[in-house]
Amino acid sequence: AMLKEVQELADKFKVEEDEQYVSPYAHLEKATVLQEARIFHDPGAVRENPRKCCTVIAQLLHLQNTGQHLSGAEATEVFFGVTKLFMS
């Protein structure tokens, strides 16, 4: 019974062969994401808009996972920003 339920869920969410999944982050620009990451330095903005912070972190991870590496200065700025974020 449970196997049938799992199979029905799999069928429900199955992607057709001719459909291509496009990531919502497919067209991100590194400079834009780094600019948005400055929100981490503003504790008020962090408290008022935690969803934005989560989105920016997801975007940073996407950039990293797609091979768009940060320079030393960029990585340092993001590191301290995220550190401030988690302290907020």
Side-chain angles (χ1 to χ4, degrees):
M2 187 159 177
L3 184 60
K4 183 178 180 183
E5 190 175 327
V6 170
Q7 185 59 45
E8 287 173 3
L9 278 174
D11 291 341
K12 181 178 178 181
F13 293 104
K14 185 177 179 183
V15 176
E16 296 299 323
E17 295 298 323
D18 56 340
E19 291 181 31
Q20 281 289 351
Y21 172 76
V22 178
S23 169
Y25 300 131
H27 303 289
L28 283 180
E29 291 188 27
K30 182 170 76 165
T32 304
V33 176
L34 291 173
Q35 183 75 27
E36 290 179 0
R38 292 183 179 179
I39 191 174
F40 300 157
H41 293 284
D42 183 354
V46 168
R47 278 190 295 278
E48 291 170 14
N49 204 348
R51 186 176 303 270
K52 170 79 171 168
C53 296
C54 292
T55 300
V56 173
I57 287 179
Q59 291 172 343
L60 287 165
L61 290 170
H62 177 79
L63 290 176
Q64 190 69 26
N65 288 333
T66 55
Q68 299 183 50
H69 297 288
L70 303 177
S71 71
E74 292 167 339
T76 300
E77 184 176 337
V78 169
F79 172 79
F80 285 111
V82 172
T83 301
K84 242 184 162 169
L85 168 69
F86 288 125
M87 291 173 58
S88 297

